[in-house]
Amino acid sequence: MEFKKCERCGCFFVSQDNVCYNCITKDRAEINMLKNYFDINPNIEANSLNALSIQTGISEKNLNRYIQDKNSDISDLVNNHLNM
Ligand SMILES: [Zn+2]
């Protein structure tokens, strides 16, 4: 068994995922929030991650993680609304 450090809260845990069990729930909630935000504002274009962070209330660090998760459909969705 290999210990991993949670990318979100920094705690150590054993799993295949990059974030711990508690943070998976938080990630899912934020991703749903992001999807809703883009549903409500389909034409929004943020010119930086920081701007998007301010608009959505989701930290830049977490937005960055979601973008880098190529297995997730949120990556494309966020990139479609980023105009950097
Ligand atoms: Zn965590």
Side-chain angles (χ1 to χ4, degrees), residues 27-41:
D27 274 6
R28 286 202 186 122
E30 278 188 355
I31 286 168
N32 279 334
M33 216 169 87
L34 262 179
K35 286 180 178 167
N36 284 336
Y37 182 79
F38 291 136
D39 274 350
I40 297 163
N41 307 285

Side-chain angles (χ1 to χ4, degrees), residues 6 9 11 20 23:
C6 174
C9 73
C11 77
C20 72
C23 290

